Amino acid sequence: MLSGEVRATYNQGLCMGEDKDAVQDDVRTHVLGVLDSLRGELPVYQTVDALVANAVQWKVRVSGKAAPDIQDPHGTLRGSAAWNSRTTLAMEREQEWLDRCTPEQIRQYLPALLRSASLKDYSRAENTTSESLTRVVVTALLAYERDSRRTGPAELYDPTCGYGTLALSVIEAMDHRRPLTLAGQDVNSSALLYARANAFLSDVHATLSGKNVLQEDAFPNRAFDYAVANIPYGLSWKDSLNHCRAEHESPTGRFPGGLPAHDDASLLFTQILVSKLRTPAEGGGRAVILMPPKPLFDNSGSSIRRWLLHEDLLEAVISLPEGLSATTNIRLYVLVLSNLKPKTRRGKIQFIDLRGFYEDIRNDRAERRTISSTGLEELSRSLGRLKGNAISRTVEARDLEYRRVYVIHRGIVAASGAESAEVPVLNAIIPAALDINTWRDQRYGSASPEVQEAPRPELTLIDVDRIFHTALPPRVLRDIQSLGWPAFRLAELVCLVSYVRSARAPERVSSLSAIAGSMSLVLPVEPHLDAIAGDPEQVAPKNRMLIMRIDEDLADAAYLAGWLNSPLGRQLRSAAVSRGSLAYASPRAVNIRDAWGIADEILVALPPLAVQRELARAETVLDAASRRISDARKELWNNPKKRSDIYREASRLVRSGDVVEWANSLPFPIASALWALESKGENVHARHKQIFLFWEAVIEFHATVLISALAQDKSRMAEEFSQSAQEFAALGLSPERATLGVWKIFLQRLAKVYRQHLIGADTDEQARVRAVFADPPQDFLENLLSTEIVQIFDKVISLRNSWSGHVGAASEDTLNEQLDVLMGHLHALRNAIGDGWLDYPLVRAGSARFKRGVFHHDVEIAMGPNTPFRHEQVQVTTPMEESGLYLLSRDGGRALPMAPLVQFRPAGFNTSSACYFYNRVHPNGVRLVSYHSTFKSELLEESRSIKDLIDAMTLSKISKL
């Protein structure tokens, strides 16, 4: 159990965020109503000017303070012909509304007004920072206390302050720690007028200048405790070239790290922020800047990035979802800078990936997405500690230093006619501290290529993808490699290669003929298409492909085709495509260098050649058997007299074997039902009944997992429950009576939605799916959402509906036939899901301690059919409710709370567990049923959590979740 102090602090933080959201929503709703009521009276920009001036007048009236020079920013409105009695009345009513406002509402008034105006007048958006970006910056800046040596008021600097919304939000958040004053610059004089009004309404002392910060420091003799900047993205600084060059050459200039490309001033603003921080001797300073992607990767900025690292100024890099800004849809990054890092952070940079933590936004804002509250919580927790998890990695500064190398494989390109050439030289980027030969030996097998250093090899990259691209290989590959089979890159195995364009390309025929007449591996670029072994002229598909003649001393082409067509092989092919510059949806853009790069990325496990050929022969037999089964299905209906022969032949392919071993790798709710099936022995009637109970348990458990993930995704939950409710109504179903048809709808809808996002081209959507499932292993998540599993469930449900009305009168032969079919589907499920649950186990939470930023939880590992469960202590980033069920990401340190549709109860007279599944809503509670042998086969209980979830599914009370 969490200590009272820890839980109170945790809950208080959540409530404060929710209260602020409610205030912002109320103020935004009011402001939009005012703007709509004045539509047609004045142009939008004049309406905003009038409301700003009106709010300033109100502040003067209630405070007695002198107003800044902002009474009428764009002319004398009251003297214009557009001003009328209706406008005057609206201003008076607005002052009356302001009289009733709380201080927090007053602080939110101008930001809400200016953000709302950007919906009507897009030019207004560029000077205000969206709420999501503001919250991210505030969280990043204030995630933990700096060890400042100063007392008294702190000072904040913003070199591109715009309307002041970002800087003033920081000051508001800091108010309970230390008072803050603001100094800001912006070349937009109109924006400065609004910033002054904003500061005046917020009771913040602000000094604001209109000087161009790239050309002149408006505060040359001042240093600051904090600095923030939401810079103009991709700003050209050619007009300031001479000023910047002079400062770079000056020993006391603001640009000691260097000058970037002329088309992007981002790294100039970064150096300006650093230059304005107090020196370490004065207590140091901390800064946060929002930045587009290019300055983190481009060649021209490498020296500046290197300077940031060598001076130990970069503290953290945060990758955000796309669409959080009102002015751009590109991905933004947050750089956290400090010239006095805590001792534990010196020489280190923390990378945090928040790409999956967002929600789709309502239509009353200019941006299309908003950062989720979970994302902000994860950001705050991650910055509070350096230990890595699924979204956080900490690296040494030297790990961001790289070198460029050339990779030269020994293969030959077969071209039309007698021409031939060496395969394309591949460019690679490797850690600077790693010896070239060491890197080559680590990446490649015994047939390793030549690796040479490229000209100007030094490169400093701040690359979130590269840092996070260290995931464990798929479990299946790890299991195969445990057999002692070495892994090779596909490109290592090739001695002759040809790149063949699609069927419409005029050179296709000559390209095929150049490598025809011998056994080759044909690899289409698209991962969903089959690889083929054979003569290219006879077997090549119409798509773009690589045709490779394989070194016969190393590998068998038929084996390689089978490997590349296996579920693991397709997964590795997909990963190889996504790692390059390719877009899966646009294979037409692929050239030979891209395709050869794919071959260099694909991993292949190579057993001895004799084993390869045995596996290839088995694959050939399976293909023939698959064709025979397809033919037998046609023959069954074309010639029913052969039904007995066909049945006997097909039944030999259905394994009934021992499933106990698999049960040990399954979550207890499934494993216990499977164990109960085995306990029935040879009793065909009991086995027949139990196997359907097993399938009901499996189907509802899988549906519960998907619904549990959806519950973490509030913006998607309402839409999906609404769509499901329409399907229920059309079919006469309801979650209040949980039939297999209900779970089928949830499984089909949610698996399809999450699968499409997971394998699609939008990396934010991919990250979002991983986040709502609490970051299970990628290969397991893909299997869990696969069409194969959904189709297995669909077939079983159809059989259940078909056979349920005839079970009592069926003969034992009929029951055995049905058991054979259902066992066949069971083994198909086993093959599809494998042992993946072991990497994403079900746990029951116990007590916890909060230490060093993580929760140390005692848990019971609810895996396998046997109780009592094994006890462990795990570390997670968020607290788990005691006795609650969770799916735990072993590698990610996160846990998915299971929806209450599956619950544990004591079994009989001991403390062991029984598992119950939600069945239906009764007037006196909810009915829970067990699918394994236990003291009570069903329970009737009052369960508020289940009723709230069912209400949400039926759209009656969705707001409760």
Side-chain angles (χ1 to χ4, degrees), residues 203-266:
D203 293 317
V204 172
H205 175 70
T207 306
L208 304 175
S209 168
K211 294 178 179 178
N212 184 338
V213 71
L214 293 177
Q215 298 181 5
E216 186 176 358
D217 181 0
F219 309 97
N221 299 317
R222 292 179 62 182
F224 298 88
D225 303 89
Y226 300 96
V228 294
N230 182 12
I231 61 178
Y233 313 130
L235 175 71
S236 171
W237 55 282
K238 289 182 180 179
D239 293 342
S240 303
L241 178 61
N242 291 334
H243 296 84
C244 295
R245 183 175 293 160
E247 282 212 61
H248 170 57
E249 294 171 353
S250 169
T252 59
R254 295 175 295 169
F255 307 119
L259 302 178
H262 297 165
D263 61 350
D264 196 324
S266 301

Side-chain angles (χ1 to χ4, degrees), residues 427-440:
N427 297 316
I429 295 174
I430 70 173
L434 193 61
D435 176 73
I436 288 180
N437 293 329
T438 302
W439 175 81
R440 181 195 61 197

Side-chain angles (χ1 to χ4, degrees), residues 36 48 83 85 98 130 218 246 263 315 325-326 361 467 496-497 510 562 695 715 779 800 827 903:
D36 286 341
V48 172
W83 196 274
S85 59
L98 290 168
S130 70
D263 61 350
E315 188 170 286
S325 170
I361 211 164
I467 295 300
L496 186 68
V497 63
S510 59
W695 280 111
S715 63
D779 55 323
R800 174 70 172 83
H827 286 287
Q903 301 198 3

